[in-house]
Amino acid sequence: MTEHITPLRIDIVSDVVCPWCVIGYRQLAAALAATGTAHEIHWHPFELNPDMPPEGQDLREHVAEKYGTTPAQSEQSRVQITDVGAAVDFEFRFADDMRMYNTFNLHQLLHWAGEQGRMHDLKQALFAAHFTHRRNLSDTDVLADVAAEIGLDREEAQAVLADQRYASDVRSAEAFWTQQGIRGVPAVVFDRQHLVTGAQGVENYTSILKQLEQMRA
């Protein structure tokens, strides 16, 4: 058995308000556990709706406007997402009054958490806050609350959002990935060279990990 000194680097470009991003991550996590792959995950920002106003938009209206989805298709999609989420132990609780939010502040908070080695934890907490608990992620108090709930400093979180100290860092990171050709998320880059887009499913991710293991051996 070949042992690698360096774990597999996995870069994930995603947005917290993207349901397939949390599904894709959960599927990948299951595949990583099944294969026992030593790895390190690096999250990167992407805004699905950078022009979204602060107050957000009704989710059904937004989906109809952006993708031309009918109410029936929207309902069917919600059922599918909920079922696929349940298969990877993530609870989606869609409601008629759900909104789509601008996520620029959220990505700044994630950057701040990353400086403390807690980006991954905050990312998971924000996924649950949005999709399971239907909390308003455009509200800076809510974002500070979520940060505090995983043990980060609430006042510092509020200060970070108030003074926008990481705004340029986030814009630069977003621009970098856009320049790499990333137009949709989730986008997963293995070993800095193999790009896989969309939620692939546990079996496909397992197969990809096994192929990478052979290539790296």
Side-chain angles (χ1 to χ4, degrees), residues 82-101:
T82 302
D83 289 347
V84 177
V88 286
D89 202 26
F90 185 86
E91 184 184 4
F92 286 95
R93 293 177 61 224
F94 289 106
D96 289 339
D97 62 350
M98 275 188 83
R99 299 182 74 74
M100 178 61 82
Y101 296 113

Side-chain angles (χ1 to χ4, degrees), residues 3-212:
E3 286 191 14
H4 296 295
I5 296 166
T6 52
L8 176 67
R9 181 184 172 101
I10 305 173
D11 291 281
I12 306 178
V13 187
S14 75
D15 199 353
V16 166
V17 293
C18 155
W20 292 107
C21 289
V22 63
I23 287 169
Y25 166 68
R26 290 282 185 129
Q27 292 171 342
L28 173 59
L32 286 164
T35 56
T37 304
H39 64 280
E40 54 180 41
I41 287 176
H42 300 266
W43 293 95
H44 304 282
F46 185 95
E47 285 181 77
L48 283 176
N49 306 287
D51 301 320
M52 181 71 69
E55 69 276 10
Q57 181 184 18
D58 175 83
L59 184 56
R60 283 188 196 275
E61 278 177 25
H62 170 74
V63 170
E65 214 173 88
K66 188 170 182 177
Y67 305 106
T69 308
T70 66
Q73 288 169 329
S74 178
E75 187 55 44
Q76 188 180 1
S77 175
R78 288 180 175 199
V79 170
Q80 181 199 5
I81 287 169
T82 302
D83 289 347
V84 177
V88 286
D89 202 26
F90 185 86
E91 184 184 4
F92 286 95
R93 293 177 61 224
F94 289 106
D96 289 339
D97 62 350
M98 275 188 83
R99 299 182 74 74
M100 178 61 82
Y101 296 113
N102 181 297
T103 54
F104 185 54
N105 271 341
L106 181 157
H107 286 300
Q108 292 179 67
L109 199 67
L110 283 165
H111 185 97
W112 165 72
E115 298 210 324
Q116 302 164 73
R118 299 297 307 281
M119 188 189 289
H120 180 81
D121 300 331
L122 182 58
K123 186 92 175 185
Q124 305 315 307
L126 289 167
F127 276 138
H130 179 62
F131 288 114
T132 307
H133 306 298
R134 301 200 291 261
R135 293 165 80 176
N136 178 359
L137 297 188
S138 69
D139 185 330
T140 54
D141 284 338
V142 171
L143 291 178
D145 285 343
V146 176
E149 284 156 20
I150 66 159
L152 294 170
D153 187 297
R154 190 181 190 283
E155 284 184 20
E156 186 66 12
Q158 283 184 306
V160 161
L161 295 170
D163 65 24
Q164 301 280 295
R165 70 187 73 164
Y166 297 115
S168 61
D169 292 308
V170 171
R171 289 274 182 245
S172 296
E174 290 175 340
F176 172 81
W177 290 103
T178 303
Q179 286 156 12
Q180 305 308 305
I182 303 297
R183 296 287 179 270
V185 288
V188 183
V189 183
F190 295 97
D191 231 4
R192 296 185 189 269
Q193 53 188 326
H194 307 287
L195 170 65
V196 176
T197 56
Q200 291 290 317
V202 179
E203 284 185 17
N204 281 350
Y205 280 127
T206 301
S207 173
I208 290 165
L209 291 170
K210 286 177 178 174
Q211 287 174 41
L212 286 168

